[in-house]
Amino acid sequence: MTAHDPPAIICTVDTVLLTLRAGTLHVLLVRRDKAPYAGAWALPGGYIHAQDDADAQASAARVLRDKAGLQSPYLEQLSTFSGLARDPRGWSIAVAYCALVPAEALDGLPPRQGVKLVPVDALPPLPFDHRAMVDAALARVRSKSLYSSLPVHLCGEAFTLPQLQAVYEAVLGEAINKVSFRRKMDELGMLEPVPGGMVQGGAHRPAQLYRLRPAFRRTLALSARGL
């Protein structure tokens, strides 16, 4: 390297993939097969491929496809993490993303060795600054859930309003007034009824099934007021 050469900087993407199981948020981890930290459980991540990836989000989508077999989940850029101390290989920058995926989408994937889901309150020690990324993702998701459609991406293709409310409550960690919740869903305008879609509710009358409107599959619906 000469005085005029740019310094070598490691550039990666890392993704905090969240899903709900048994009413608890889980994070997807993969076992690292290379140094540094070979054998450790970590967030799915990898180098940006400048020759192939249109941007950092394309890199994150590719990494999830290659390491977890997932196709185009909801992805939102979280933050950048950088510096000399975060990676023993040298000065690095990581663009972190948050992905929300329905549990049924993960259950439908073929089993993969070295991939597992872990409750967010039972994480093992994570390498690099991956724990800080998880904490940032949880704070972001819980904050945005108060005024947006973000939690709907943890639901399946069709769901009832009580099921959607349970998802919001699991993310926020608190109960929500039923009337206030339904008023908020009306304000967001993100849902449409599934034609002919009804679920029997035992002793109760059948419940209408809803789905996300196509316009909000990649863009969040926002409200001026929180729940």
Side-chain angles (χ1 to χ4, degrees), residues 1 25-26 36-37 42 46 78-79 92 152 159-160 172 179 194 212 223:
M1 178 181 293
L25 282 171
H26 285 61
Y37 307 113
L78 183 62
S79 186
S92 67
V152 77
F159 43 84
T160 65
L172 294 172
V179 174
V194 176
L212 190 62
S223 173

Side-chain angles (χ1 to χ4, degrees), residues 123-141:
L123 290 172
L126 300 177
F128 307 108
D129 43 13
H130 286 188
R131 182 53 194 254
M133 293 181 185
V134 173
D135 291 342
L138 291 173
R140 167 77 65 84
V141 168

